[in-house]
Amino acid sequence: MGVTRIKHPSHGQHYLLLKLPQEPYWCNGCMGLGFGPCYECEHEACGFYLHEECANAAPSTSHPFSKCSLKFHYNAPQGDERYCDACGEDVSGFVYQCSHKHPHDYHPRCLKLPRTLRAGDGLILQLRKELPSKCLRCGTRKTSNKIQGWCYVSSPDQYCYHIACVKDMILEKWREGYFSQYGDVNDANNLALQTFSESREIALPGGRRSSKATQIWRKAATVIMVIISALFGEPSALISVLVQYWLSS
Ligand SMILES: [Zn+2]
Ligand SMILES: [Zn+2]
Ligand SMILES: [Zn+2]
Ligand SMILES: [Zn+2]
Ligand SMILES: [Zn+2]
């Protein structure tokens, strides 16, 4: 298999190689977390990474959910404290912004989110601009920073999650150091078992769990896993083990 090697204006001094890192990384373009294939500087000491979508961002684009014509910028030209209108996370690097007075902002990765996802057992999730029902994570239709935010929803709309809420779940785990211990699957398993008891945090509302509730919850965990892969990239086997342990109960 040939190696994909590129030069990117944001890191013009070295070549970048397309790789599947074993560890999560922070994209030096959009400043977001990533799990999947990415461009990494061939000088490892640089620790420079770009999401594929960030490295290959076109100068302008559009999206069916937005009426705006969107231009790519290395930094948002308008305003500080910008939020992505898709995922609600802040925008502090590569961004698509429109020229409206109150501009819309999107991460390059968010504009490339698949419109449909398969979550197994024939369950299909659709990317939607508006929530048809309350998000199972936050219980509301708006995200915490008042961004309407996009969601993935199953049909019938039993499973509905803001992409903002699923992103928050992973970023919270990151801040707790959950992904910082890797390299050894046994370590990963031990760590996952330690946090086993916390996994209730994504339980469906309703308290006591009947076997039916457990079944629904298992499916919800599968749905969340599929959304995580869409948001952050297909995780390596090790990260996948960590996330699945955390989601299991
Ligand atoms: Zn990025
Ligand atoms: Zn470099
Ligand atoms: Zn706009
Ligand atoms: Zn976003
Ligand atoms: Zn939510």
Side-chain angles (χ1 to χ4, degrees), residues 65 83-89 104-106 110 113 126-133 135 138 140-153 160-165:
F65 290 177
Y83 296 104
C84 172
D85 288 278
C87 75
E89 293 292 328
H104 295 94
D105 303 82
Y106 298 97
C110 288
L113 284 171
Q126 302 265 1
L127 184 65
R128 295 261 196 98
K129 191 182 176 182
E130 272 153 28
L131 277 73
S133 58
C135 166
C138 68
T140 65
R141 284 168 196 256
K142 284 208 171 177
T143 64
S144 51
N145 50 20
K146 296 190 190 97
I147 298 262
Q148 194 114 46
W150 297 354
C151 67
Y152 275 109
V153 59
C160 178
Y161 289 99
H162 282 121
I163 63 177
C165 287

Coordinates of all heavy atoms in Angstrom, one line a residue, residues 65 83-89 104-106 110 113 126-133 135 138 140-153 160-165:
F65 N -28.3 21.6 5.0 CA -29.0 22.2 6.2 C -28.8 23.7 6.4 O -29.4 24.3 7.3 CB -28.4 21.5 7.5 CG -28.8 20.1 7.7 CD1 -28.3 19.4 8.8 CD2 -29.6 19.4 6.8 CE1 -28.6 18.0 9.0 CE2 -30.0 18.1 7.0 CZ -29.5 17.4 8.1
Y83 N -19.3 29.5 18.1 CA -19.7 28.1 18.3 C -20.1 27.5 17.0 O -20.7 28.2 16.1 CB -20.9 28.0 19.3 CG -20.5 28.5 20.7 CD1 -20.9 29.8 21.1 CD2 -19.7 27.7 21.5 CE1 -20.6 30.2 22.4 CE2 -19.4 28.2 22.8 CZ -19.8 29.4 23.2 OH -19.5 29.9 24.4
C84 N -19.8 26.2 16.8 CA -20.2 25.5 15.6 C -21.7 25.3 15.7 O -22.3 24.8 16.7 CB -19.5 24.2 15.6 SG -20.0 23.1 14.3
D85 N -22.4 25.7 14.6 CA -23.9 25.6 14.6 C -24.4 24.1 14.4 O -25.5 23.8 14.6 CB -24.5 26.4 13.4 CG -24.4 27.9 13.8 OD1 -25.2 28.4 14.5 OD2 -23.4 28.5 13.3
A86 N -23.4 23.2 14.2 CA -23.8 21.8 14.1 C -23.6 21.1 15.4 O -24.5 20.5 16.0 CB -23.0 21.1 13.0
C87 N -22.4 21.2 16.0 CA -22.1 20.4 17.2 C -22.1 21.3 18.5 O -21.9 20.7 19.6 CB -20.8 19.7 17.0 SG -19.3 20.8 17.2
G88 N -22.1 22.6 18.4 CA -22.2 23.4 19.6 C -20.8 23.6 20.3 O -20.7 24.4 21.2
E89 N -19.8 22.9 19.9 CA -18.5 23.1 20.5 C -17.9 24.4 20.0 O -18.2 24.9 18.9 CB -17.5 22.0 20.1 CG -17.9 20.6 20.7 CD -17.8 20.5 22.2 OE1 -16.9 21.2 22.8 OE2 -18.6 19.8 22.8
H104 N -22.8 32.2 10.5 CA -22.9 30.8 10.9 C -21.5 30.2 10.8 O -20.7 30.6 9.9 CB -23.8 30.0 10.0 CG -25.3 30.5 10.1 ND1 -25.8 31.5 9.3 CD2 -26.2 30.1 11.0 CE1 -27.0 31.7 9.6 NE2 -27.3 30.9 10.7
D105 N -21.2 29.3 11.7 CA -19.9 28.7 11.8 C -20.0 27.2 11.8 O -20.9 26.6 12.5 CB -19.1 29.1 13.1 CG -19.0 30.6 13.2 OD1 -20.0 31.2 13.7 OD2 -17.9 31.1 12.9
Y106 N -19.1 26.5 11.1 CA -19.1 25.0 11.1 C -17.7 24.5 11.1 O -16.9 25.0 10.3 CB -19.9 24.5 9.9 CG -21.3 24.9 9.8 CD1 -21.7 25.9 9.0 CD2 -22.3 24.2 10.5 CE1 -23.0 26.3 9.0 CE2 -23.6 24.5 10.4 CZ -24.0 25.6 9.7 OH -25.3 26.0 9.6
C110 N -17.7 18.6 10.8 CA -19.1 18.6 11.1 C -19.9 18.6 9.7 O -21.0 18.0 9.6 CB -19.6 19.7 12.0 SG -19.0 19.3 13.7
L113 N -20.3 15.2 8.1 CA -20.9 14.1 8.9 C -21.9 13.3 8.0 O -22.6 13.9 7.2 CB -21.8 14.6 10.1 CG -20.9 15.1 11.3 CD1 -21.9 15.8 12.3 CD2 -20.3 13.9 11.9
Q126 N -30.6 9.0 11.1 CA -30.6 10.1 10.2 C -30.0 11.3 10.9 O -30.4 11.6 12.0 CB -32.0 10.4 9.7 CG -32.8 9.3 9.1 CD -32.7 9.3 7.6 OE1 -32.0 10.1 7.0 NE2 -33.3 8.3 6.9
L127 N -29.2 12.0 10.1 CA -28.7 13.3 10.6 C -29.8 14.3 10.4 O -30.4 14.4 9.3 CB -27.5 13.7 9.9 CG -26.8 15.0 10.3 CD1 -26.2 14.9 11.7 CD2 -25.6 15.4 9.4
R128 N -30.2 15.1 11.4 CA -31.3 16.1 11.3 C -30.8 17.4 11.8 O -30.0 17.5 12.7 CB -32.5 15.7 12.1 CG -33.2 14.4 11.6 CD -34.4 14.7 10.7 NE -35.2 13.5 10.6 CZ -36.3 13.3 11.3 NH1 -36.7 14.2 12.2 NH2 -36.9 12.2 11.1
K129 N -31.4 18.5 11.2 CA -31.1 19.8 11.7 C -31.9 20.1 12.9 O -31.4 20.9 13.8 CB -31.5 20.8 10.6 CG -31.0 22.2 10.8 CD -31.4 23.1 9.7 CE -31.0 24.5 10.0 NZ -31.4 25.4 8.9
E130 N -33.1 19.6 13.0 CA -33.9 19.9 14.2 C -34.3 18.6 14.9 O -34.6 17.6 14.2 CB -35.2 20.7 13.8 CG -34.9 22.1 13.8 CD -35.8 22.9 12.8 OE1 -36.9 22.4 12.5 OE2 -35.3 24.0 12.4
L131 N -34.5 18.6 16.2 CA -34.8 17.4 16.9 C -36.3 17.2 16.8 O -37.1 18.0 17.2 CB -34.4 17.6 18.4 CG -33.0 17.3 18.8 CD1 -32.1 18.3 18.3 CD2 -32.8 17.0 20.2
P132 N -36.7 16.0 16.4 CA -38.1 15.6 16.3 C -38.7 15.2 17.7 O -39.9 15.3 18.0 CB -38.2 14.4 15.4 CG -36.8 13.8 15.5 CD -35.9 14.9 15.9
S133 N -37.8 14.9 18.6 CA -38.1 14.6 20.0 C -37.0 15.0 20.9 O -35.9 15.4 20.4 CB -38.4 13.1 20.1 OG -37.3 12.3 19.8
C135 N -33.7 15.0 23.2 CA -32.5 14.3 23.2 C -32.4 13.4 24.5 O -32.7 13.8 25.6 CB -31.3 15.3 23.2 SG -29.7 14.6 23.6
C138 N -29.7 14.9 27.2 CA -29.9 16.1 28.0 C -31.4 16.3 28.3 O -31.8 17.2 29.1 CB -29.3 17.3 27.3 SG -30.1 17.7 25.7
T140 N -33.6 17.7 26.4 CA -34.2 18.9 25.9 C -34.0 18.9 24.3 O -33.4 18.0 23.8 CB -33.5 20.2 26.4 OG1 -32.2 20.2 26.0 CG2 -33.6 20.3 27.9
R141 N -34.4 20.0 23.7 CA -34.2 20.1 22.3 C -33.1 21.1 21.9 O -32.6 21.1 20.8 CB -35.5 20.6 21.6 CG -36.6 19.5 21.5 CD -37.9 20.1 21.1 NE -39.0 19.1 21.3 CZ -39.6 18.4 20.4 NH1 -39.2 18.5 19.1 NH2 -40.5 17.5 20.7
K142 N -32.7 21.9 22.9 CA -31.6 22.8 22.7 C -30.4 22.4 23.5 O -30.5 21.8 24.6 CB -32.0 24.3 23.0 CG -32.9 24.9 22.0 CD -32.7 26.4 22.0 CE -33.5 27.0 20.8 NZ -33.5 28.4 20.8
T143 N -29.2 22.7 22.9 CA -28.0 22.3 23.7 C -27.7 23.3 24.7 O -28.3 24.4 24.8 CB -26.8 22.2 22.7 OG1 -26.5 23.4 22.2 CG2 -27.1 21.2 21.5
S144 N -26.7 23.0 25.6 CA -26.5 23.8 26.8 C -26.1 25.2 26.4 O -26.4 26.2 27.1 CB -25.4 23.2 27.6 OG -24.3 22.9 26.8
N145 N -25.4 25.4 25.3 CA -25.0 26.8 25.0 C -26.0 27.5 24.0 O -25.7 28.3 23.2 CB -23.6 27.0 24.5 CG -23.2 26.0 23.4 OD1 -24.2 25.4 22.8 ND2 -22.0 25.7 23.2
K146 N -27.2 27.0 24.1 CA -28.4 27.6 23.4 C -28.3 27.4 21.8 O -29.1 28.1 21.1 CB -28.6 29.0 23.7 CG -29.0 29.2 25.2 CD -29.4 30.6 25.5 CE -29.5 30.9 27.0 NZ -28.3 31.5 27.6
I147 N -27.4 26.6 21.4 CA -27.3 26.3 19.9 C -28.4 25.3 19.7 O -28.5 24.4 20.4 CB -25.9 25.8 19.6 CG1 -24.8 26.8 19.9 CG2 -25.8 25.3 18.2 CD1 -24.3 27.6 18.8
Q148 N -29.0 25.5 18.6 CA -30.1 24.5 18.2 C -29.4 23.1 18.0 O -29.8 22.1 18.6 CB -30.8 24.9 16.9 CG -32.0 24.1 16.7 CD -33.3 25.0 16.8 OE1 -33.3 26.1 16.3 NE2 -34.2 24.5 17.5
G149 N -28.4 23.1 17.3 CA -27.6 21.9 17.1 C -28.2 20.8 16.3 O -29.4 20.6 16.3
W150 N -27.4 20.0 15.6 CA -27.9 18.9 14.8 C -28.0 17.7 15.7 O -27.4 17.6 16.8 CB -27.0 18.6 13.7 CG -26.8 19.7 12.7 CD1 -27.5 20.9 12.7 CD2 -25.9 19.8 11.6 NE1 -27.1 21.7 11.6 CE2 -26.1 21.1 11.0 CE3 -25.0 19.0 11.1 CZ2 -25.4 21.5 9.8 CZ3 -24.2 19.4 10.0 CH2 -24.5 20.6 9.3
C151 N -28.7 16.6 15.2 CA -28.8 15.4 16.0 C -28.8 14.2 15.1 O -29.0 14.4 13.8 CB -30.1 15.4 16.8 SG -31.6 15.4 15.7
Y152 N -28.6 13.1 15.6 CA -28.9 11.8 14.9 C -30.1 11.2 15.6 O -30.3 11.1 16.8 CB -27.7 10.8 15.0 CG -26.7 11.1 14.0 CD1 -25.4 11.6 14.3 CD2 -26.9 10.8 12.6 CE1 -24.5 11.9 13.3 CE2 -25.9 11.0 11.7 CZ -24.7 11.5 12.0 OH -23.8 11.7 11.1
V153 N -31.0 10.7 14.7 CA -32.3 10.2 15.2 C -32.6 8.9 14.4 O -32.4 8.8 13.2 CB -33.4 11.2 15.1 CG1 -33.6 11.7 13.7 CG2 -34.7 10.7 15.7
C160 N -32.7 9.5 20.0 CA -32.4 10.8 19.4 C -31.3 11.4 20.3 O -31.5 11.6 21.5 CB -33.7 11.6 19.5 SG -33.5 13.3 18.9
Y161 N -30.2 11.8 19.7 CA -29.1 12.4 20.5 C -28.6 13.6 19.7 O -28.3 13.5 18.5 CB -28.0 11.4 20.6 CG -28.2 10.3 21.6 CD1 -28.6 9.0 21.1 CD2 -28.1 10.5 23.0 CE1 -28.9 8.0 22.0 CE2 -28.4 9.4 23.9 CZ -28.8 8.2 23.4 OH -29.1 7.2 24.3
H162 N -28.4 14.7 20.5 CA -27.7 15.8 19.9 C -26.2 15.4 19.6 O -25.7 14.7 20.4 CB -27.5 16.9 21.0 CG -28.7 17.8 21.2 ND1 -29.3 17.9 22.5 CD2 -29.3 18.7 20.4 CE1 -30.2 18.8 22.4 NE2 -30.3 19.2 21.2
I163 N -25.7 15.8 18.5 CA -24.3 15.5 18.3 C -23.4 16.2 19.4 O -22.4 15.7 19.9 CB -23.8 15.7 16.9 CG1 -23.9 17.1 16.4 CG2 -24.6 14.8 15.9 CD1 -23.3 17.3 15.0
A164 N -23.9 17.4 19.8 CA -23.3 18.1 20.9 C -23.2 17.3 22.2 O -22.1 17.3 22.8 CB -24.0 19.4 21.2
C165 N -24.2 16.6 22.5 CA -24.3 15.8 23.8 C -23.3 14.6 23.7 O -22.6 14.3 24.7 CB -25.7 15.4 24.1 SG -26.7 16.8 24.6

